[in-house]
Amino acid sequence: MTRKQKRLAVIGGGISFIIAAVLLVMFAFSQSVAYFYMPADIAKSPVPPGTRIRLGGLVGEGSIVRGGGSTVQFAVTDATGDLVRVRYTGILPDLFREGQGVVTEGRFETGSDVFTADTVLAKHDEKYMPKEVADKLKEQGLWQHAGEPQ
């Protein structure tokens, strides 16, 4: 093998390695994407079971039901009146309560209309609502930030 052939082999191997690394990174990113939905979005076009999503809205009034252990069921709703029942096993954030903004992350199980969440995020003070939820509610003309004229 001549020097030129050796050099081409090293360059070809390096390019192959870089292409493989880029493909692995792209595959990893595609597996971790979780799209954001509101209950009205899910009512319009249901999400396939097993697809990881973020579900945001307001915790429905009177919907919190504590089960055995640390299992909690509640409804996430929006101003359209659509709601999605959510089941979560774990410790809820201290500021989680009815009528407040919430973002849950998880998936719908096959053959069930209950959203099984593995993460629940709640607002952190009176003026905060998760950005994704606030943007969707503002689009619908149903939410205004404190201090904005009504």
Side-chain angles (χ1 to χ4, degrees):
M1 202 181 249
T2 66
R3 289 183 89 195
K4 186 175 183 178
Q5 290 174 329
K6 287 180 185 179
R7 189 177 318 136
L8 286 175
V10 168
I11 291 171
I15 290 173
S16 298
F17 177 77
I18 290 171
I19 289 172
V22 167
L23 289 174
L24 285 172
V25 168
M26 289 173 53
F27 177 75
F29 280 138
S30 71
Q31 295 296 313
S32 66
V33 171
Y35 295 102
F36 181 79
Y37 291 87
M38 297 281 287
D41 299 332
I42 292 174
K44 288 178 192 170
S45 59
V47 177
T51 303
R52 186 164 186 78
I53 65 167
R54 287 185 178 151
L55 171 67
L58 303 172
V59 178
E61 295 291 332
S63 68
I64 299 174
V65 177
R66 299 196 183 273
S70 60
T71 300
V72 178
Q73 292 191 16
F74 57 94
V76 173
T77 187
D78 56 14
T80 62
D82 295 312
L83 66 88
V84 176
R85 293 182 301 144
V86 178
R87 179 177 43 245
Y88 175 69
T89 301
I91 298 172
L92 289 169
D94 290 337
L95 297 173
F96 176 87
R97 60 184 176 271
E98 296 173 355
Q100 299 297 322
V102 67
V103 174
T104 61
E105 191 169 330
R107 54 184 46 111
F108 286 97
E109 298 301 324
T110 305
S112 174
D113 62 346
V114 176
F115 183 75
T116 303
D118 52 39
T119 305
V120 174
L121 304 171
K123 67 179 215 147
H124 72 283
D125 69 16
E126 280 110 47
K127 296 179 184 160
Y128 175 79
M129 179 173 288
K131 180 177 177 0
E132 298 159 323
V133 174
D135 290 344
K136 289 282 189 170
L137 290 174
K138 284 179 183 178
E139 282 176 18
Q140 298 170 359
L142 302 168
W143 183 80
Q144 292 183 347
H145 183 60
E148 288 182 6
Q150 292 189 356

